[in-house]
Structures are given as C-alpha cells and as structure tokens.
Amino acid sequence: MSVTVKPKPAEGEQDFPSLALVNTRLLLPGGAEADLLEGEDAARLRELREAIRVLFEAYETATAPPPGALAAVNEAAATGPLVTQLTWDDSGPRETSYRTANGSQAALAADAIALLAGPAAARLHACGAHGCIRWYLRSHGTRQWCSTRCAARVRAARHYARHHPGDSV
Ligand SMILES: [Zn+2]
C-alpha cells in the first residue's frame, strides 16, 4: 500500500484554477504518473485538462494549437451562464461580459482563457526539472522550476552528477 501525498501547489495555482487543473496530472518521485482528479466530473474535467495543457504547450513553443484543443476549451467556456457587468474607470463606463459558474468546467475554461490571453501568460512555463510535468507562473526572471522541491531536486541531481562523472542516472 502506498500513500500519495499531494504536492505543494506550483507557483500561480492560487491565482489560476486552470493551472491547478493542469497540474492534477503529475509524475511522482520514481516516475509513476498520478492523477489527482476524482469525483463525478473527473472524466469531463480530464478532457478539458488535456486541452488546456495542449494550449499551454502551444503558447510556450509559439506554435498554433490544434483546432480540437481550442474548440474543447471554447465549448467548455460556452456552457456557463453569460453575465454582463458594468465597469467604470478613467475612460468611463464599459460593458464586460463573461461566463461564470464556480468550480465548473465553464469557470475553469474561462480561467484558462483569461490566463492565456492576459498578462500572466508571459510568465507561464513548464517546469524545467527532469521528471516534472507541472506548469507554473514564473515569479522572477531566473526561476525555472515549479516549486522549491523541484529546485532542490535539480540541485541534488547536479551535485550527484558532479561527484559521479560518467554515471547515467
Ligand atoms: Zn516541477
């Protein structure tokens, strides 16, 4: 019997539930894949999760995403009720419309759209640590890992490689 400990959230997951959704598929130490999604919606959320992941990858590699992934996210976003809000700033009143439904596919899809189309997208990256498939928002220029745990793992691996030249890990 093994106990799966949910890892600490990656940088940015607190602000973007869609990022947290993508990171529910992860590799455990040792390389086994784990899926943290459970419950009734899991199957449908899994589809949305993979579509969002594909869009993240397209964004990072600056390539056009497959139309299927784009359609999956847009279809999910279109299932929520449309809310129209009035916002008011220095340039006056403005109408903003968005679809909402907390915790649902629609809300997660809308969140992914806001992430990819908004200013945070510039900070979106795949974790650079070997054996990690999580995504995160880079908090400052040099950071390349999703968490302090991955940073520590990379440091340990480099240390090992330095002291065991020729070994393949
Ligand atoms: Zn990582």
Side-chain angles (χ1 to χ4, degrees):
M1 204 166 108
S2 68
V3 178
T4 305
V5 179
K6 190 177 187 297
K8 281 211 179 101
E11 299 274 347
E13 283 189 21
Q14 307 88 324
D15 300 325
F16 291 98
S18 59
L19 184 60
L21 173 68
V22 166
N23 286 344
T24 57
R25 180 153 76 83
L26 66 150
L27 296 178
L28 298 174
E33 193 167 314
D35 190 335
L36 304 177
L37 275 184
E38 49 190 28
E40 285 173 30
D41 273 351
R44 283 193 341 204
L45 285 178
R46 230 165 247 139
E47 256 177 65
L48 178 61
R49 176 181 67 186
E50 297 318 310
I52 295 172
R53 177 185 292 271
V54 166
L55 296 186
F56 281 5
E57 286 164 359
Y59 182 83
E60 174 137 293
T61 54
T63 52
L70 203 55
V73 169
N74 282 334
E75 274 162 29
T79 60
L82 186 65
V83 173
T84 301
Q85 299 273 280
L86 183 64
T87 55
W88 208 296
D89 57 25
D90 292 344
S91 54
R94 219 184 346 199
E95 184 188 314
T96 319
S97 297
Y98 60 91
R99 290 181 190 274
T100 184
N102 270 342
S104 69
Q105 277 201 97
L108 287 162
D111 184 73
I113 292 168
L115 171 53
L116 282 164
R123 298 191 290 124
L124 179 67
H125 293 282
C127 180
H130 180 71
C132 182
I133 56 170
R134 299 209 300 176
W135 288 75
Y136 71 105
L137 296 185
R138 194 169 283 179
S139 51
H140 55 84
T142 54
R143 198 187 164 107
Q144 292 173 62
W145 331 112
C146 73
S147 60
T148 49
R149 186 161 147 247
C150 273
R153 236 157 29 82
V154 168
R155 265 197 304 275
R158 282 183 187 153
H159 180 85
Y160 184 90
R162 250 196 318 275
H163 290 84
H164 301 79
D167 263 24
S168 58
V169 184

